[in-house]
Amino acid sequence: METFDNFSRYKIFLAVAECKSISKAAAQLYISQPAVSITIKKLEENLNTTLFIRKSKGVELTENGRKLYENAKRAFHILLDTEDRLRFHQNTGYLRIAASNVLCKHFLMPYLKEFTSLYPNTDVSITCTSSSVACSMVEQCNIDLALVAKPENLGTAIYHSLGVIEYIFVCTPAYRDKLNCDNDKIFEHGNIILLDKDNVSRRHLNSYYAQNKITPLHILEVNEMDLLIEFAKMGIGVSCVVKQFVEEELKAGSLIEIELSKPIAPREIGFLYNRIQPMNENILKFIEVQSD
């Protein structure tokens, strides 16, 4: 009976740790808020330690709470993985991946094609979301693998680099002639087409603007990299795009690169996975398929 009680307590503990709120955890688990509070209190008493720091707008894990969270999360993943293997014994496992639309299209697809060919009995799910959300999903162990720009703080994650992506400004030759200005003056004369402010790539570009004291006068915002490319090809303005994504257009001459005196710093991209959860053997299989 005690083992079952502890199992339930740890499930509630994990929910509170991930929601950072007793009330939100209660709503997620469909139980009362007092029941959650009592469960956490009993768990703290049994372990003779404080697991959460209570704050006005929620709770935060203590150092001991963080240690318990990492190991409890690992234990639950082992249990769930074992259940899946028993339930689907012919299956070779699963792999949950997250990536932005553009990274999925231009970088993830070759891996996915090769992996599904080599391991057809592995269940693969893809979540298309922003890089910031994908990183959060890795941190919370809600996915196994993310393809993202390298985060500043890896935390408990492991990062496998795929190299760098370069950001450049492009437009049609006709639009460049229309601007009739030096390359570094395009921000004063042209329509600058950028990703929206919530995008990680846009924040990277904003840092470039701030460092170089640049203030574009005319900005058009879109929410996808493919639209940046299409709008530039239509001659609407100058788009900031990833160079690797427009190599064909640059080679054909339908788009030209506007070379700035101070280029935008490249960004590293790669696979991110969490070391606190049990290692899903399919993670390394997926990462390595392109090197076979």
Side-chain angles (χ1 to χ4, degrees):
M1 184 67 179
E2 181 67 22
T3 301
F4 179 79
D5 288 342
N6 282 338
F7 182 86
S8 300
R9 287 171 186 167
Y10 284 124
K11 183 177 180 181
I12 293 171
F13 164 74
L14 289 173
V16 174
E18 291 171 359
C19 293
K20 298 181 180 179
S21 165
I22 288 176
S23 60
K24 290 180 180 178
Q28 183 183 90
L29 297 170
Y30 299 102
I31 58 179
S32 68
Q33 185 172 332
V36 174
S37 298
I38 291 171
T39 298
I40 296 300
K41 183 178 179 181
K42 286 183 177 179
L43 189 58
E44 290 179 322
E45 289 174 352
N46 286 348
L47 297 174
N48 193 30
T49 190
T50 300
L51 299 174
F52 293 100
I53 299 172
R54 277 69 174 176
K55 296 188 174 183
S56 58
K57 294 184 179 180
V59 296
E60 182 178 305
L61 285 168
T62 62
E63 183 59 30
N64 283 340
R66 171 61 62 181
K67 292 176 182 177
L68 182 64
Y69 170 79
E70 292 178 357
N71 285 286
K73 190 74 174 180
R74 184 181 294 112
F76 269 80
H77 272 279
I78 290 173
L79 179 60
L80 293 174
D81 186 50
T82 302
E83 286 183 346
D84 286 340
R85 289 179 183 274
L86 291 174
R87 189 178 295 114
F88 308 107
H89 61 275
Q90 292 181 339
N91 191 288
T92 56
Y94 62 88
L95 186 62
R96 302 163 300 171
I97 307 171
S100 66
N101 289 333
V102 66
L103 290 181
C104 183
K105 176 180 177 180
H106 293 277
F107 288 99
L108 189 64
M109 285 301 182
Y111 284 86
L112 187 60
K113 183 178 180 181
E114 183 70 13
F115 183 82
T116 54
S117 174
L118 292 172
Y119 308 101
N121 293 322
T122 301
D123 292 332
V124 180
S125 63
I126 308 294
T127 299
C128 288
T129 185
S130 67
S131 290
S132 58
V133 172
C135 288
S136 296
M137 293 176 74
V138 168
E139 182 181 359
Q140 296 170 14
C141 300
N142 291 328
I143 57 169
D144 303 298
L145 186 67
L147 176 58
V148 295
K150 186 177 182 179
E152 294 181 4
N153 181 15
L154 290 178
T156 60
I158 296 174
Y159 187 77
H160 176 84
S161 177
L162 297 180
V164 299
I165 54 176
E166 300 176 65
Y167 290 90
I168 61 173
F169 286 93
V170 298
C171 65
T172 62
Y175 190 84
R176 181 66 189 90
D177 292 339
K178 178 182 174 181
L179 289 179
N180 192 27
C181 66
D182 294 338
N183 285 355
D184 289 336
K185 296 292 185 179
I186 61 168
F187 305 108
E188 301 173 20
H189 299 275
N191 292 322
I192 308 301
I193 312 173
L194 308 173
L195 291 170
D196 58 63
K197 294 183 176 67
D198 293 331
N199 192 282
V200 175
S201 294
R202 173 65 181 276
R203 292 200 291 270
H204 180 68
L205 184 60
N206 285 345
S207 296
Y208 168 80
Y209 285 152
Q211 292 170 4
N212 293 282
K213 298 179 180 180
I214 295 172
T215 304
L217 296 183
H218 308 286
I219 293 178
L220 174 62
E221 293 184 342
V222 298
N223 60 6
E224 290 188 6
M225 181 69 67
D226 286 345
L227 288 177
L228 287 177
I229 297 170
E230 290 304 314
F231 283 0
K233 288 164 64 176
M234 292 169 61
I236 293 176
V238 180
S239 292
C240 181
V241 301
V242 173
K243 187 172 184 177
Q244 288 92 327
F245 301 166
V246 292
E247 288 179 343
E248 291 184 5
E249 288 83 357
L250 293 173
K251 185 176 180 180
S254 57
L255 290 176
I256 59 173
E257 177 183 354
I258 297 180
E259 298 183 4
L260 303 173
S261 58
K262 295 180 179 179
I264 305 169
R267 298 177 69 210
E268 188 176 358
I269 64 165
F271 290 113
L272 189 74
Y273 57 96
N274 205 323
R275 66 171 176 261
I276 74 167
Q277 65 181 4
M279 173 55 69
N280 181 341
E281 60 185 16
N282 288 312
I283 291 176
L284 297 183
K285 287 180 181 177
F286 190 90
I287 291 174
E288 294 169 358
V289 292
Q290 288 290 295
S291 59
D292 291 342

